Amino acid sequence: GDSVTQMEGPVTLSEEAFLTINCTYTATGYPSLFWYVQYPGEGLQLLLKATKADDKGSNKGFEATYRKETTSFHLEKGSVQVSDSAVYFCALRKASGGYQKVTFGTGTKLQVIP
Amino acid sequence: GAGVSQTPSNKVTEKGKYVELRCDPISGHTALYWYRQSLGQGPEFLIYFQGTGAADDSGLPNDRFFAVRPEGSVSTLKIQRTERGDSAVYLCASSAGLAGDGGHTDTQYFGPGTRLTVL
């Protein structure tokens, strides 16, 4: 079945450091890929998405590129802030036939210290 | 506008009891999803409604779990004879249900979840 593997946390960085959270996937067909973020005490929010190979999703300084050849969708940010502290989930969704089930990774907790 | 809301935010119950969890989707959204998030894990799909019907209930773990959406808006997840292993955060999401482009533009919006604790 479909699956998503992301790097284990927690990840602790100093403010303004460079962030990479690795994500790889296994799926048949052509899934759409997503990063969701869960801030403390809040619900899941869509951070960015990419719907086909080589697409780059970006939002709030975060970006991720859909790499079909390596089945990866790594999340990056050039300079993290304390406010970026949250749990980040990589996810996939099948793109065909209106199939709507989203498969999530286990999440990576990011802590940014001043 | 209003997002997805879920009630209650917390529910503590005893083993063997029956519980109902409610989800109010974004107005006009035809698609509704339930997920379960155990501690330290990502959300796991339970069931998907398109309108009033359950289009995919393959994620329901067993027949103690049931969900309804009688009028195509509010949904209730029902758990009978609760077990300690049912303790988790239950998330609801809704989307506009756009399917014309294979769902590419159909973003799911999540509610804050209901934290269920079975003692």
Side-chain angles (χ1 to χ4, degrees), chain B residues 4-21:
Chain B
V4 178
S5 62
Q6 294 185 243
T7 54
S9 55
N10 280 284
K11 176 71 176 177
V12 180
T13 190
E14 294 180 342
K15 180 175 177 297
K17 299 291 188 183
Y18 168 82
V19 297
E20 290 189 351
L21 311 179

Side-chain angles (χ1 to χ4, degrees), chain B:
Chain B
V4 178
S5 62
Q6 294 185 243
T7 54
S9 55
N10 280 284
K11 176 71 176 177
V12 180
T13 190
E14 294 180 342
K15 180 175 177 297
K17 299 291 188 183
Y18 168 82
V19 297
E20 290 189 351
L21 311 179
R22 176 187 168 107
C23 172
D24 281 84
I26 292 172
S27 178
H29 278 189
T30 61
L32 184 145
Y33 318 79
W34 283 99
Y35 294 85
R36 179 169 68 174
Q37 186 175 13
S38 301
L39 190 63
Q41 301 296 314
E44 294 178 302
F45 170 83
L46 294 177
I47 187 169
Y48 156 55
F49 286 90
Q50 182 59 45
T52 60
D56 182 353
D57 64 358
S58 62
L60 294 178
N62 52 60
D63 61 6
R64 295 187 297 106
F65 288 75
F66 189 71
V68 295
R69 195 185 185 200
E71 299 179 357
S73 178
V74 171
S75 176
T76 304
L77 178 65
K78 307 180 180 191
I79 310 174
Q80 298 177 318
R81 305 183 304 280
T82 52
E83 299 178 356
R84 292 193 180 88
D86 299 334
S87 296
V89 176
Y90 290 82
L91 298 171
C92 176
S94 71
S95 71
L98 304 173
D101 61 350
H104 284 283
T105 55
D106 197 27
T107 298
Q108 293 184 25
Y109 296 88
F110 284 80
T114 294
R115 182 175 297 279
L116 174 66
T117 303
V118 182
L119 301 177

Side-chain angles (χ1 to χ4, degrees), chain A residues 54-100:
Chain A
D54 300 326
D55 269 2
K56 177 185 286 188
S58 61
N59 186 26
K60 299 181 181 180
F62 291 88
E63 59 182 34
T65 301
Y66 188 165
R67 300 287 189 200
K68 197 169 184 348
E69 65 276 12
T70 55
T71 61
S72 64
F73 193 54
H74 304 321
L75 182 68
E76 296 181 335
K77 186 174 185 181
S79 176
V80 293
Q81 305 300 311
V82 172
S83 58
D84 294 327
S85 299
V87 181
Y88 292 81
F89 293 91
C90 185
L92 69 83
R93 189 187 73 202
K94 289 289 181 63
S96 63
Y99 188 72
Q100 299 292 346

